[in-house]
Amino acid sequence: MRLTLHVWRQKNHDAQGRFVTYSMADASPAMSFLELLDVLNEQLTERGEEPIAFEHDCREGICGSCGVMINGRAHGPEKGTATCQLHMRKFKDGEVIRVEPWRSKAFPVIKDLVVDRAPFDKIVQAGGFISVNAGGAPEANLIPIPKPTAEKAMDAAECIGCGACVAQCPNGAAQLFTAAKVSHLALLPQGQPERTRRVQKMVDEMESYFGSCTNFQECEAVCPKGISIEFIARMNRDYLRGSI
Amino acid sequence: MSGLSNFYRSAVGKKALMAVSGIVLFGFVLVHMLGNLKLYQGPEKLNAYAEWLREVGSPVLPHSGLLWIARFVLLAAVGIHILAATQLTLRNWQARPQKYKQREVLEATYASRTMRWGGVIIGLYVIYHLAHLTWGRPWVHSDFIPGDVYHNVVSGFQIWWVSGIYIVAQVALGFHLYHGLWSMFQSLGWWNSSNPQDWRRRFAQVFAWIITLGNLSFPLAVLTGLVK
Ligand code: HEM
Ligand code: FES
């Protein structure tokens, strides 16, 4: 495949960034998007240029490290797929592809396509846990949980914290991420004692960094795990219940 | 009190207040449209209805008492709604200082993307509408007769561009209601599924259509000569 890539290059946080155009003559449809960047980086290194910085780890769609805007979509054109699991067969020969980092005031660019997603950790630190001394692993069937509830909690727990929801949201809101992290605990018996305090702390922390939700539903459309905005409604309800 | 001010400080709390004030305004526009249907029953019925609005509640309340209570509640709802909308919008505009060179719109509906400017259009229209048919200012209505609602509506709408303003505003209100009514469930935490055909979307569609079609029918009926 022949491809033209416009890639955002930025030396560091303070530097002025710009798009640089690269042509690739030898891309294979079997490559993942990150492998395409790997090959491009090889060529850049051979030419003595600085390779493009991008984040990745598992390359299996489970760690949440990867993620860039590809032609105006977080994680690119394939629904329910993280950038590392997107393959070049989804693109046409000769296609022009624009690659941009997540853009949010809360996610400053560190270098090229790498952004600092620390505010997500801050939100989890504010309450995304259960305060008990865990000890050894308890017997799994000690607390019976109905199957549909367990499934729902797992749907929320699927969130890998990649930041695509913030990236796509016209308001730069982190509601889907926070709602997922709130809900997977709020649905389970272990999460009940701190349920109200948790949602208030996490929402307050979220709002100190991000914009807020106006129900555009763009987040749901790009979430690689297909997390539903139903969880945002759940979070709102818990927050309101705790405030009134 | 500190609980309440904390609640208002949060965006989630502001959205809940927007939803509650939105419900009040929705109830108003629905009843207002249904009341205006009396236009089709002729001058006596419509004018009697307008007079009834002033008398209802008496003798317990003074003349126009209930009307003033309703006006006060509506004014408060409009105030809260616009204040919260403005504050949230300004905050959201700051959340992405560096814009994307390219960003596709995936699921966001036209209605959802026009809430802010649509709201501004509706707000300006409401002021115009009050000056036109409630206060009857000569610079917006040259032939206003206090108390003769039927005459004021018909002679007003016979001017094509006056009807035009009403038509544009009702379409804007229809879009605003569609996204607003759906959003309200989300903001207040009522869900059953995010399936686009779920009852929340249906509810929003049905009521946005009812109100918009009802309101559009009035200027159209006058322009076509059905009502004169
Ligand atoms: C007859 C007048 C109006 C009615 C019936 C109405 C109704 C509603 C409703 C029910 C909502 C949903 C609240 C929620 O987010 O949960 C809403 C949202 C909203 N309204 Fe209004 N509204 C009216 C006038 C206005 C005006 C005058 C403005 C602004 C100047 C405005 C701006 C907004 C904005 C920005 C939203 C939030 C939209 C979003 O979250 O996407 N509205 N409205
Ligand atoms: S690299 Fe782990 S999810 Fe993509």
Side-chain angles (χ1 to χ4, degrees):
Chain A
M1 293 172 90
R2 294 188 148 274
L3 295 169
T4 305
L5 277 86
H6 301 301
V7 182
W8 183 260
R9 303 300 312 261
Q10 185 173 336
K11 255 200 171 55
N12 55 51
H13 173 248
D14 301 314
Q16 184 84 16
R18 66 195 175 95
F19 284 100
V20 177
T21 303
Y22 302 99
S23 328
M24 291 194 69
D26 47 2
S28 146
M31 285 174 174
S32 75
F33 198 83
L34 299 188
E35 284 163 348
L36 180 84
L37 294 180
D38 290 338
V39 171
L40 177 58
N41 276 346
E42 286 288 326
Q43 297 173 359
L44 292 182
T45 312
E46 276 164 24
R47 295 208 300 257
E49 292 174 38
E50 179 85 7
I52 300 161
F54 62 91
E55 254 192 290
H56 61 104
D57 187 21
C58 70
R59 299 208 177 195
E60 291 181 339
I62 54 171
C63 74
S65 301
C66 65
V68 288
M69 293 297 278
I70 302 168
N71 287 344
R73 283 182 190 225
H75 291 303
E78 195 175 6
K79 221 175 143 72
T81 307
T83 304
C84 58
Q85 290 290 295
L86 172 70
H87 286 84
M88 297 318 295
R89 54 179 169 267
K90 294 287 160 189
F91 296 85
K92 291 188 296 286
D93 191 28
E95 199 164 333
V96 179
I97 304 173
R98 185 174 297 280
V99 191
E100 231 174 317
W102 292 168
R103 295 211 187 279
S104 155
K105 191 163 105 189
F107 290 167
V109 171
I110 297 172
K111 187 176 183 180
D112 297 337
L113 303 172
V114 179
V115 299
D116 181 3
R117 286 170 289 187
F120 270 13
D121 299 331
K122 292 283 186 335
I123 293 172
V124 172
Q125 282 163 13
F129 49 80
I130 285 166
S131 314
V132 288
N133 293 324
E139 149 61 32
N141 293 320
L142 217 53
I143 306 173
I145 298 167
K147 176 82 169 147
T149 308
E151 289 290 343
K152 196 48 99 199
M154 281 307 293
D155 287 347
E158 271 197 86
C159 171
I160 55 176
C162 62
C165 44
V166 173
Q168 198 73 30
C169 176
N171 300 319
Q175 239 87 2
L176 195 64
F177 167 80
T178 311
K181 297 300 172 200
V182 164
S183 299
H184 76 110
L185 297 174
L187 278 156
L188 297 176
Q190 293 88 336
Q192 299 314 307
E194 294 166 292
R195 183 168 174 175
T196 302
R197 212 166 357 130
R198 172 182 309 113
V199 69
Q200 294 196 318
K201 285 191 168 160
M202 290 177 76
V203 166
D204 290 348
E205 191 70 19
M206 167 184 86
E207 290 185 352
S208 68
Y209 295 104
F210 295 96
S212 64
C213 180
T214 57
N215 308 316
F216 284 120
Q217 270 182 284
E218 295 288 284
C219 52
E220 191 182 82
V222 295
C223 177
K225 299 296 151 184
I227 300 204
S228 162
I229 60 162
E230 170 192 326
F231 292 115
I232 299 178
R234 285 177 179 275
M235 176 174 77
N236 289 342
R237 173 181 287 198
D238 277 3
Y239 188 89
L240 298 178
R241 195 188 279 142
S243 311
I244 290 164
Chain B
M1 196 59 212
S2 91
L4 199 68
S5 70
N6 269 342
F7 177 69
Y8 187 76
R9 201 167 300 138
S10 92
V12 173
K14 284 195 184 73
K15 277 308 287 272
L17 288 174
M18 285 192 71
V20 172
S21 57
I23 294 172
V24 171
L25 297 174
F26 160 63
F28 165 74
V29 289
L30 182 63
V31 171
H32 186 287
M33 186 279 285
L34 293 174
N36 286 347
L37 289 175
K38 296 226 178 298
L39 181 70
Y40 298 116
Q41 293 179 311
E44 294 77 25
K45 288 270 188 191
L46 184 66
N47 292 350
Y49 165 66
E51 188 47 34
W52 173 80
L53 285 179
R54 284 157 181 82
E55 267 157 27
V56 62
S58 70
V60 178
L61 294 170
H63 187 74
S64 293
L66 206 61
L67 192 64
W68 274 107
I69 293 174
R71 283 172 176 164
F72 181 77
V73 171
L74 285 172
L75 200 64
V78 169
I80 291 170
H81 199 81
I82 294 181
L83 181 68
T86 310
Q87 290 174 332
L88 288 172
T89 299
L90 293 178
R91 214 145 89 171
N92 289 346
W93 280 350
Q94 290 165 6
R96 181 166 295 133
Q98 170 134 33
K99 304 288 169 241
Y100 287 111
K101 175 97 180 173
Q102 190 180 349
R103 184 176 62 78
E104 310 266 282
V105 173
L106 305 171
E107 294 287 326
T109 56
Y110 178 76
S112 71
R113 289 180 283 122
T114 51
M115 288 306 271
R116 289 153 184 166
W117 294 114
V120 171
I121 290 173
I122 296 165
L124 293 175
Y125 157 76
V126 168
I127 296 169
Y128 169 77
H129 172 55
L130 288 173
H132 185 231
L133 289 176
T134 302
W135 306 322
R137 296 286 114 163
W139 39 275
V140 273
H141 201 314
S142 53
D143 190 13
F144 189 86
I145 305 173
D148 193 349
V149 178
Y150 188 91
H151 165 83
N152 296 337
V153 170
V154 173
S155 62
F157 285 172
Q158 273 165 350
I159 304 167
W160 67 269
W161 56 266
V162 172
S163 279
I165 292 175
Y166 277 81
I167 290 168
V168 169
Q170 298 321 313
V171 172
L173 178 62
F175 281 112
H176 196 89
L177 275 170
Y178 169 54
H179 186 70
L181 290 176
W182 177 80
S183 287
M184 153 192 113
F185 291 114
Q186 192 74 5
S187 301
L188 295 177
W190 268 336
W191 72 91
N192 65 351
S193 86
S194 48
N195 177 341
Q197 298 303 339
D198 73 4
W199 60 269
R200 303 182 305 180
R201 286 246 178 241
R202 277 266 169 273
F203 176 93
Q205 275 161 353
V206 167
F207 280 97
W209 273 114
I210 290 176
I211 290 172
T212 309
L213 291 180
N215 279 336
L216 283 177
S217 78
F218 308 126
L220 291 177
V222 172
L223 282 181
T224 55
L226 223 63
V227 167
K228 42 181 183 282

